[in-house]
Amino acid sequence: MEYAQLGNSGLKVSRACLGTMNFGPAGGVGVGSCDEADARRILDSFLDAGHNVIDTADAYTGGESERIVGRAVAGRRDSVVLATKAFLPQGPGANDRGLSRAHLTRALDASLRRLGTDHIDLYQCHQWDPETPIDETMATLDGFVSSGKVRYIGCSNFTAAQIVESQWAAERRGGTPFVSLQSQYSLLARGIEPELLPTCERHGLGTLTWSPLGGGVLTGRYLRDTAPDRTSRIGRLLNSPSPLARAWAEDLLTERNLDIADESARIAADLGTTSTAVALAWLRQRPGVTSVIIGPRTLDQLDENLAGFTLQLPADAIARLDGISAAGA
C-alpha cells in the first residue's frame, strides 16, 4: 500500500481517500441514496484493502453521513484518518454557519457526537468565510488542536490568496497552520495547476482532490446525442428543480469534456482497463497530488475506482491525456 505525508506534517495518508457525500438518504449537501448497509460494506472493503482516509462533512446528507461513518469505524478508530468539514448552515440562525468562533465551536462538538469519537484527525474549513476575520478562524482552530479535539487542520475550496492569508494568520500568533487543501481536480478541471498547487507546495499543504471523474463523465457512461439515464448522477441533476444543478450538469457535457472522455476510453482499451481507472491513475500521478477522493455508491464502483490506484500509465498515454485536456483547463 502506498502512503504519502500530508503536507508539512507527519500524518501519513493513503493515496485514495473515501468520500462519503453519498452515504445516507438525500438531504442537505450530497446526492445521498447509499443506505447504511451498503455504505458499511463499501467502507469496510476500502479499509480492508489498506486505505486509511475517510472524508465527510457536517452538511452531507443532513448529518447522516457522519453518523454512518462513526458507527462503521467504531471498532477500528485508531487505524482511520477521519476527516470532516464545517462552514455550511446547520440551522436557521445568523450564527449557524460560517467560520466564526461561535459557529465552529458548536459545529465541532456536534460532529464529534455524530461521529462518536473524542477527536477528529483532520478538521477542515469547507469554504472561505468573507464575514469572519481569518485571525479569529485560525485562533479558534488552534484552540481545537490544543484541546486535543482535533489533530490537524485543513481547508477546502480556498483560493491561493486565501491560503496565504490563513497561513500568515497562524504564523502571526504562533498557532497551528493548515496542512491540507481540498480542491477540484481532474482531466476536465485543471485550474488548480497554475497557482494553487505551487502555493500549497510553498506553504506546506498537501492536497486531497475531489471530483476526479468529472461528475461521472470520465467513466465513459455519457455519450453524444444520447440523453443521460435519469437515474445517473447527471441525469438526476438535469431533472432537478434547481437551476444551478441543471446548469452544472449541462456544463459537464461539453464537446471538450466528451472529447477527453473519448480519448480516455481509447487509452483504456489499449491498456485493457477501464476509463475510470485511466482517469484516476492520471490524477494520482500528477505532481502535487497527495490523495484522490473517490465517492463510490456501490461495491462494484469501489473496485473499479481502486483499480486506478495500482495502474501505472505509460508516458505516451500521459502525454495524450495532457495534450487533449490542456486547452480550456
Side-chain angles (χ1 to χ4, degrees), residues 100-141:
S100 68
R101 179 176 286 107
H103 176 64
L104 284 177
T105 301
R106 288 195 297 269
L108 173 61
D109 287 342
S111 285
L112 289 169
R113 287 194 298 270
R114 284 189 292 266
L115 290 164
T117 186
D118 63 357
H119 74 280
I120 289 166
D121 298 296
L122 179 63
Y123 197 57
Q124 303 156 103
C125 300
H126 211 149
Q127 63 189 69
W128 178 262
D129 182 358
E131 298 180 350
T132 299
I134 189 59
D135 290 84
E136 176 181 336
T137 299
M138 298 306 289
T140 302
L141 295 172

Side-chain angles (χ1 to χ4, degrees), residues 79-320:
S79 63
V80 173
V81 176
L82 188 55
T84 193
K85 299 182 284 294
F87 171 89
L88 296 175
Q90 296 296 294
N95 292 308
D96 289 336
R97 60 173 293 161
L99 301 180
S100 68
R101 179 176 286 107
H103 176 64
L104 284 177
T105 301
R106 288 195 297 269
L108 173 61
D109 287 342
S111 285
L112 289 169
R113 287 194 298 270
R114 284 189 292 266
L115 290 164
T117 186
D118 63 357
H119 74 280
I120 289 166
D121 298 296
L122 179 63
Y123 197 57
Q124 303 156 103
C125 300
H126 211 149
Q127 63 189 69
W128 178 262
D129 182 358
E131 298 180 350
T132 299
I134 189 59
D135 290 84
E136 176 181 336
T137 299
M138 298 306 289
T140 302
L141 295 172
D142 181 57
F144 294 165
V145 174
S146 297
S147 73
K149 292 182 178 181
V150 168
R151 299 292 190 258
Y152 300 91
I153 59 173
C155 57
S156 177
N157 304 312
F158 277 33
T159 66
Q162 290 162 354
I163 289 171
V164 173
E165 282 193 53
S166 303
Q167 299 300 73
W168 282 351
E171 185 178 2
R172 279 195 297 273
R173 65 182 313 279
T176 306
F178 288 142
V179 299
S180 66
L181 167 73
Q182 278 199 31
S183 186
Q184 184 178 17
Y185 194 15
S186 72
L187 278 163
L188 307 187
R190 295 178 58 181
I192 188 176
E193 293 175 355
E195 292 188 3
L196 273 171
L197 286 178
T199 298
C200 286
E201 183 178 6
R202 285 195 300 272
H203 290 271
L205 281 71
T207 60
L208 298 94
T209 55
W210 56 266
S211 196
L213 298 175
V217 173
L218 293 169
T219 66
R221 69 183 303 182
Y222 301 106
L223 306 175
R224 286 180 175 80
D225 305 319
T226 302
D229 188 321
R230 292 178 68 93
T231 65
S232 68
R233 183 179 187 188
I234 290 182
R236 292 194 298 271
L237 290 170
L238 287 173
N239 290 281
S240 168
S242 167
L244 288 175
R246 295 195 300 272
W248 185 78
E250 290 167 359
D251 286 345
L252 284 172
L253 296 177
T254 64
E255 285 299 310
R256 170 187 176 267
N257 289 355
L258 292 172
D259 285 344
I260 295 169
D262 288 345
E263 183 69 359
S264 298
R266 286 189 285 269
I267 290 171
D270 292 343
L271 298 177
T273 187
T274 66
S275 296
T276 296
V278 167
L280 290 167
W282 176 86
L283 185 54
R284 189 194 82 246
Q285 292 176 236
R286 297 300 294 172
V289 172
T290 308
S291 189
V292 177
I293 302 172
I294 56 174
R297 289 188 294 114
T298 66
L299 275 176
D300 287 344
Q301 288 180 355
L302 175 66
D303 291 340
E304 188 174 2
N305 281 194
L306 292 183
F309 293 87
T310 55
L311 175 64
Q312 292 294 323
L313 291 178
D316 66 315
I318 293 174
R320 288 164 61 185

